[in-house]
Amino acid sequence: MENVLRPLIVVGGSLVLTLVVGWAVDQLLRRADGRHHETPLWGLLRRGGVPFQLVLCSALFRGSYDQVKLLEDHRIAIGRALTLVLIGSTAWLVVRIAAAIVETSYWRYAAVHRDPARVRRVRTQVSLIQRVVSAIVGVVAVAAMLLTFPAMRAAGASLLASAGILGIVAGVAAQSTLANLFAGLQIAFGDMVRLGDTVVVDGEWGTVDEITLTFLTVRTWDERRITMPVSYFTAQPFENWSRGGAQMTGTVFFHVDHSTPVEEMRKKLQDIVRECPAWDGRDYGLAVTDTTPTTIQVRALVTAKDADDIWTVRVTVREEMVRWLTEQHPYALPRVNTADAVVPPGRTSSGYRVAHRAYEPPRTGRG
């Protein structure tokens, strides 16, 4: 009877104690989160409820298993399995706690600082710090699990003896991976590119959507995702339109006839940008920048608060200006000149034609 009751009491008591303690800790965190609205730390710590209960339960089972005397033929295997579960759940809990602390630090920084560029920089650093912490904890947990096996401890001496050769081989084999890893850290703390930045990479315009330790994802305007190694951004030139501020200046070019009323176009541009919500009101302008034998090139200059708005302002100016020229000044649109050439002064039109024909090459053959 004792052999039956003892396992039931130990196992059942461990489960009940785990559930009670887990519920009590969750209630304490819930109350703390309700009292302290200025910080999300307590609410984020509640995400660690499951790994906390798993740590507590595995620890109770591991500590009381020798007194249970259940399945003693498999005592070593069961004890090692409980140890592995304890190590894994502890690593899981540590990652959740670290993530809660890091996210709380970012939340407080974002609440105090209103500069979007600085907030994006800190968010990039925070996301990479979380991944680094998770990777370190995972490596330590796996190493601790391997050390629970006696064969691994016995092989430690031989592994250390060949560590130099293995290190060289691993360094050569993982050269690109290590380069991306250090490039990711350089991007995070060197403030080269941040989450949410508008960039032009390899001729593609888009927004930085994700940054990891090895790759970076750019979301284009048509919702495509371009994934590139982070080492590209430390070795190749690229455009960062959000660097130093999100405000931008855009241009729109028109090819129109020489008789185009430029001053009226300038006034029309003023009316267009004032009615465009995306224009930030900083500056606008219109000037003739080039001329050809058949047209003139007119450049309209506009400003906006970011890359998305500058695109909206540019297409609005282009559409409205072309519509206005078509309706009010159709003669200003580019056209092919098919009129007769202007006769030089002092010559009649007939004499000019005769002189012009005199230079035609002589005809050959019959006729």
Side-chain angles (χ1 to χ4, degrees), residues 5 10 37-38 53 60 65 73 87 154 160 215 267 303 305 311 338:
L5 291 178
V10 173
H37 298 285
E38 72 281 359
Q53 292 182 352
L60 290 175
Y65 179 74
D73 294 339
I87 294 174
L160 289 176
F215 68 89
K267 294 179 181 179
T303 60
K305 65 180 179 64
W311 171 263
T338 60

Side-chain angles (χ1 to χ4, degrees), residues 255-265 288 296 298 324-325 329 331-335:
H255 292 273
V256 293
D257 190 76
H258 289 84
S259 60
T260 301
V262 178
E263 188 61 32
E264 294 186 25
M265 285 186 67
V288 178
I296 59 174
V298 179
W324 177 76
L325 289 174
H329 304 279
Y331 62 89
L333 298 176
R335 59 184 183 271

Side-chain angles (χ1 to χ4, degrees), residues 62-133:
R62 186 65 184 89
S64 60
Y65 179 74
D66 293 336
Q67 284 73 30
V68 174
K69 295 181 180 180
L70 182 65
L71 301 176
E72 293 192 6
D73 294 339
H74 305 282
R75 181 175 59 86
I76 298 177
I78 294 176
R80 184 171 295 125
L82 292 175
T83 302
L84 295 177
V85 173
L86 178 60
I87 294 174
S89 58
T90 302
W92 186 12
L93 179 61
V94 171
V95 170
R96 286 294 178 88
I97 294 175
I101 295 174
V102 173
E103 290 183 16
T104 301
S105 301
Y106 165 72
W107 184 88
R108 291 179 177 177
Y109 185 90
V112 174
H113 297 81
R114 301 298 180 182
D115 186 3
R118 297 179 64 181
V119 172
R120 290 199 304 269
R121 180 183 63 186
V122 174
R123 185 175 64 177
T124 303
Q125 295 175 354
V126 164
S127 62
L128 290 179
I129 288 174
Q130 289 183 0
R131 289 183 172 90
V132 170
V133 171

